[in-house]
Amino acid sequence: MQAANLFHQNFAVAESLLQLYQIFHGLKKADLKDELRLAVCSHWGDPPHAVVHPACNDRVMVLARSVAPIPEALTSEGGLDFLLRQAVVVACTSLEAFFWDVLRENVLTIVKARPRGADESLQKLTFTLGDYMSIQQWGDPDERLRQIILKNFERGTLYNTASIDRIAGILTVPPKQYWELVQKVSGEDSSQLNRKVSDLINRRNQIAHRADRPSESETPDGLGLRPITFAWTNSHVQAARTLVTASVEIFTQAMARLESDIRAAEEQALARKLAAKRETKEIAAP
């Protein structure tokens, strides 16, 4: 499933942001021993009296020339929290893109199968005369049909998990069944997973639309923003990956069933066509 590959490529950025936070968290300005400073100046080709700005924690040391000083955000309290907020945004964007890409990949199969109990948006799908004519004239009619169908499913923002339920329904997996399958496939409690993904989406919306400013009832951090921690971010970002991993298996199986139904219908149609030809020949025979 191409949607899964694209998700993992996008999601890797969120993981990199979390790794950067872990590496640089707790970085403080420090004093540099003279012999180390001289060795660094020699390595850079700078004069022995050149200024070197050091900062370190128990995992890494950062050395910078005076012309490119270490950003205050790296050494100030809460200065690296922007990495956590960006990880939230990237994880949600990856989640949105995944569900849209799955729909884009499989919408033609869903429409061709026209399963019983299909989502209302599929049952009410209509085509104009212009759509029909463009399908007939297109080099690849199926590709043109897919384009027309996708116009009816505009890509939107995930404002809550109800958006995920709606897409799952279009993909022929009713919401209640979808979350039951998610729990079965992932081995995690679906209600907790749903809550974590919902909280992740809500936090992304607050970051994107309110710059993560706290409400009047919330206590801000040292920068005047809603507090955020690595533990919270990591657990909720990983919940998004767990949901997608389970969804890949669920939707792959659902599409496989539809494709099987389509093949069976095509075989039955071919058999009826051949039977009709035989009957015509028998009637025409003297």
Side-chain angles (χ1 to χ4, degrees):
M1 184 180 287
Q2 184 65 19
N5 295 333
L6 292 173
F7 168 80
H8 289 300
Q9 291 175 16
N10 296 330
F11 189 79
V13 177
E15 292 184 309
S16 295
L17 289 167
L18 293 176
Q19 290 168 357
L20 286 173
Y21 181 89
Q22 286 184 297
I23 291 172
F24 292 111
H25 179 61
L27 200 68
K28 299 295 181 183
K29 293 180 180 179
D31 295 324
L32 194 64
K33 292 183 178 180
D34 197 52
E35 56 267 30
L36 179 55
R37 185 186 62 79
L38 290 172
V40 171
C41 289
S42 175
H43 175 75
W44 284 343
D46 289 348
H49 59 274
V51 176
V52 178
H53 298 283
C56 66
N57 56 24
D58 59 355
R59 298 172 298 282
V60 67
M61 173 176 280
V62 178
L63 303 172
R65 287 188 171 102
S66 58
V67 295
I70 297 171
E72 287 294 325
L74 288 182
T75 57
S76 62
E77 185 69 27
L80 290 177
D81 287 353
F82 75 93
L83 293 171
L84 301 180
R85 293 186 175 92
Q86 287 305 307
V88 169
V89 172
V90 172
C92 269
T93 301
S94 303
L95 194 65
E96 286 176 354
F98 167 76
F99 283 100
W100 168 255
D101 288 339
V102 171
L103 180 59
R104 181 174 54 82
E105 280 185 42
N106 298 288
V107 69
L108 189 58
T109 299
I110 298 168
V111 171
K112 281 185 173 182
R114 290 278 184 168
R116 290 183 178 178
D119 186 80
E120 184 179 357
S121 58
L122 292 177
Q123 294 177 3
K124 293 184 177 180
L125 196 62
T126 58
F127 297 90
T128 66
L129 179 60
D131 290 336
Y132 177 77
M133 293 181 66
S134 68
I135 292 173
Q136 300 301 313
Q137 298 168 0
W138 208 261
D140 183 349
D142 280 353
E143 174 59 23
R144 180 54 182 158
L145 177 60
R146 188 178 68 85
Q147 293 175 0
I148 294 171
I149 294 167
L150 285 174
K151 288 193 302 183
N152 291 271
F153 302 103
E154 300 225 359
R155 181 172 184 167
T157 300
L158 293 180
Y159 289 106
N160 47 49
T161 53
S163 303
I164 295 175
D165 293 346
R166 178 174 178 270
I167 296 174
I170 295 173
L171 292 165
T172 72
V173 184
K176 185 175 184 298
Q177 180 186 1
Y178 169 71
W179 288 104
E180 290 174 350
L181 289 171
V182 165
Q183 177 166 313
K184 180 179 179 181
V185 173
S186 68
E188 296 193 20
D189 183 84
S190 61
S191 60
Q192 292 184 12
L193 193 60
N194 185 309
R195 178 180 53 78
K196 282 188 174 182
V197 172
S198 180
D199 290 346
L200 181 73
I201 294 172
N202 289 336
R203 190 62 181 267
R204 187 283 307 273
N205 294 339
Q206 290 169 334
I207 293 169
H209 302 298
R210 290 180 46 82
D212 214 21
R213 295 189 299 273
S215 64
E216 294 181 357
S217 61
E218 294 176 310
T219 302
D221 63 10
L223 300 176
L225 302 176
R226 299 179 73 238
I228 190 169
T229 65
F230 174 84
W232 184 94
T233 305
N234 186 53
S235 67
H236 287 70
V237 165
Q238 295 306 323
R241 181 168 66 174
T242 299
L243 180 63
V244 168
T245 300
S247 297
V248 169
E249 182 173 335
I250 293 167
F251 294 146
T252 297
Q253 293 177 357
M255 293 306 104
R257 288 192 294 270
L258 293 185
E259 288 168 356
S260 177
D261 292 343
I262 292 171
R263 287 193 298 270
E266 289 174 345
E267 290 171 359
Q268 291 173 3
L270 179 59
R272 287 194 297 269
K273 186 176 180 180
L274 293 174
K277 283 185 177 180
R278 284 197 299 268
E279 291 177 1
T280 302
K281 287 181 179 180
E282 290 174 357
I283 294 172

